[in-house]
Amino acid sequence: MRIFGREPVVVLNSLSAVLGLVVSLGFTGLTAEQAGAIVGFVTAVFGVVAAVMTRPIAPQAFTTVAAAGAVLVATFGYEVSQSTIGAVNGVVLAALTLLTRPQVSPSKPGIPATTEPPQAV
């Protein structure tokens, strides 16, 4: 399955990073806490969808937890601005997507997902 000619995981992580950019530019009129909560939630939801669409699940699940966690820690652990929240989200997503992408592949619809390669007969 392709979205705009790209793998769904790349599109989902890019959309999450764009959302972080929109929030960081202040177009939303949200407080930093509201913006961070929304960015963290959307990052987590997109990450779960991306993890379901890839095999093995672990690298994408790690990316999701790290990215959403970094945004939420920046938001609720420290007094930071919306621009910092967006920057944290973008950098973490970009770095982890680049690092984990070679380790995952799209799952094929209709074929049960396994973490082990098929056995030769």
Side-chain angles (χ1 to χ4, degrees):
M1 179 172 118
R2 297 253 189 217
I3 300 173
F4 303 120
R6 305 275 187 231
E7 293 178 18
V9 172
V10 174
V11 173
L12 290 170
N13 285 346
S14 297
L15 284 174
S16 185
V18 167
L19 173 68
L21 176 64
V22 168
V23 167
S24 71
L25 294 175
F27 293 141
T28 59
L30 301 171
T31 67
E33 290 79 18
Q34 292 168 330
I38 291 169
V39 171
F41 177 76
V42 170
T43 299
V45 169
F46 282 0
V48 168
V49 171
V52 168
M53 299 175 84
T54 59
R55 295 297 174 260
I57 290 174
Q60 183 60 41
F62 171 76
T63 300
T64 299
V65 169
V71 168
L72 294 174
V73 165
T75 302
F76 297 108
Y78 304 99
E79 290 293 323
V80 296
S81 66
Q82 285 186 358
S83 59
T84 303
I85 293 166
V88 167
N89 185 53
V91 168
V92 170
L93 275 172
L96 290 175
T97 298
L98 288 172
L99 289 173
T100 60
R101 173 57 196 101
Q103 301 171 18
V104 298
S105 61
S107 64
K108 293 180 174 56
I111 298 174
T114 62
T115 57
E116 300 176 15
Q119 299 297 321
V121 182

